[in-house]
Amino acid sequence: MMRNRGFIIGLIASLGMLGVTGCSRVDAVQPSRAGEPGRNEAAVYMPDMPLNTWIRVEPEYIAPPEGGRHRPVGWNKLVYDPVGGRMLYMDRWSTDQHGHTIYANSVMAFDVAANTVTCLNLTNWKRRNLEDGGYRTVPLPANEEEPTPCDRHPYGNLAFVPDRNSLYLSTGANRSALRGNIRGQTVVR
């Protein structure tokens, strides 16, 4: 998959790249999929990696109990979780129950030292196609018992608060959610 040269740090984990502050020029980026040969042979973290250097990473993606697979969208921002020693971001995780969507619907944790990305939480929302075309983002029945913010492009609207071990989300974009909860909190475990 070809990407434009030079991109922002917020795209690192979903595009399969690891950088150390700054920006570099990259011609091609190919995301990895769990189960491919040669996966996760060694951790990629190098404490002596020079600044403004990018290396390709092929993390193992760890699915939630619902199964599914990672479908990167790149509308995200990474935030550091000093409690868990990992990077957190929102991205798209595809399951039969949630349907295909263009919006981020999961909280992901990238453990650089272990070279793994774990899907920590899925939202309780799904895509519902409309008869006359288009679709809406609607709550699943589970949203009654465990309310979650609706799927969205989170852009840069994430903050991690270590004292509360919580990831906070504010605004973002989802034109298809008519009554979606725009703000939310996820306790990170």
Side-chain angles (χ1 to χ4, degrees):
M1 161 184 329
M2 295 301 291
R3 296 283 182 203
N4 291 333
R5 291 175 176 251
F7 53 94
I8 60 173
I9 290 175
L11 299 177
I12 296 171
S14 70
L15 295 178
M17 295 297 290
L18 172 64
V20 178
T21 66
C23 189
S24 183
R25 296 179 73 82
V26 177
D27 287 319
V29 178
Q30 179 64 47
S32 303
R33 302 283 181 241
E36 288 180 350
R39 305 264 314 142
N40 208 23
E41 291 174 2
V44 296
Y45 176 69
M46 296 178 282
D48 58 346
M49 190 166 128
L51 294 177
N52 298 316
T53 301
W54 295 87
I55 61 168
R56 181 178 174 160
V57 296
E58 296 186 7
E60 175 185 0
Y61 285 90
I62 301 170
E66 297 91 332
R69 90 182 247 190
H70 183 236
R71 302 267 190 195
V73 291
W75 310 110
N76 49 42
K77 169 191 174 187
L78 298 170
V79 294
Y80 182 64
D81 165 12
V83 177
R86 57 199 174 173
M87 300 300 294
L88 300 174
Y89 65 101
M90 286 192 69
D91 213 344
R92 182 174 59 176
W93 193 270
S94 180
T95 70
D96 291 339
Q97 181 182 22
H98 290 86
H100 174 73
T101 179
I102 64 168
Y103 300 108
N105 66 350
S106 61
V107 175
M108 310 291 285
F110 179 33
D111 182 332
V112 177
N115 199 24
T116 58
V117 176
T118 303
C119 180
L120 298 178
N121 299 75
L122 284 169
T123 66
N124 289 324
W125 294 76
K126 70 174 188 169
R127 172 186 169 148
R128 185 185 75 212
N129 292 324
L130 302 175
E131 288 182 21
D132 59 347
Y135 61 92
R136 295 282 181 246
T137 302
V138 298
L140 292 165
N143 206 54
E144 292 294 323
E145 293 177 28
E146 184 184 345
T148 62
C150 70
D151 305 353
R152 88 240 355 252
H153 301 317
Y155 302 126
N157 298 305
L158 292 175
F160 184 77
V161 178
D163 294 346
R164 296 179 179 248
N165 195 28
S166 295
L167 181 69
Y168 290 87
L169 170 67
S170 175
T171 62
N174 180 340
R175 190 173 177 181
S176 75
L178 299 179
R179 57 188 181 103
N181 180 0
I182 294 300
R183 292 175 176 79
Q185 169 189 0
T186 297
V187 177
V188 180
R189 293 181 173 79

